[in-house]
Amino acid sequence: LGASQPPAPQGYELRQNTPNPFSSVTTISYDIPSAMHVRVSVYDVLGREVGVLENALREAGRHSAGFEAPQMPNGIYMCRFEAAGIVKNIRMLLLR
């Protein structure tokens, strides 16, 4: 018997980045219940977009994206997840 696929998530979830706080690199994970276009972006506290981690069609399931901030100043950043009209945000802390 082959390995079975895990069931698709039942909803949308943006998980807290790990590690948090982070020093230059962190990972952001999210779940989607069906194939759809997903956009995951990062903003500074002034609302300026500082990075786009995902902007593409993704299959149902759990996905993750890395965020690198080697030249960015310490502070709080917001990660924004958008898919199928759903918007979720998490707060991330960059500390060197």
Side-chain angles (χ1 to χ4, degrees), residues 14-95:
L14 175 61
R15 299 180 182 283
Q16 186 65 52
N17 63 304
T18 56
N20 189 41
F22 67 105
S23 62
S24 64
V25 177
T26 190
T27 301
I28 297 150
S29 298
Y30 62 89
D31 298 344
I32 52 175
S34 60
M36 65 189 63
H37 185 268
V38 173
R39 181 176 169 85
V40 179
S41 46
V42 176
Y43 294 85
D44 66 15
V45 292
L46 298 176
R48 296 177 296 206
E49 185 175 85
V50 296
V52 176
L53 311 180
E54 300 274 330
N55 191 16
L57 179 64
R58 296 289 181 238
E59 295 297 319
R62 178 164 297 164
H63 302 270
S64 61
F67 177 61
E68 296 182 32
Q71 304 300 322
M72 295 170 61
N74 287 346
I76 296 172
Y77 293 86
M78 298 300 295
C79 179
R80 180 179 173 100
F81 164 90
E82 300 171 74
I86 304 294
V87 176
K88 294 183 176 276
N89 295 288
I90 57 170
R91 188 166 52 176
M92 307 185 301
L93 181 59
L94 173 61
L95 289 177

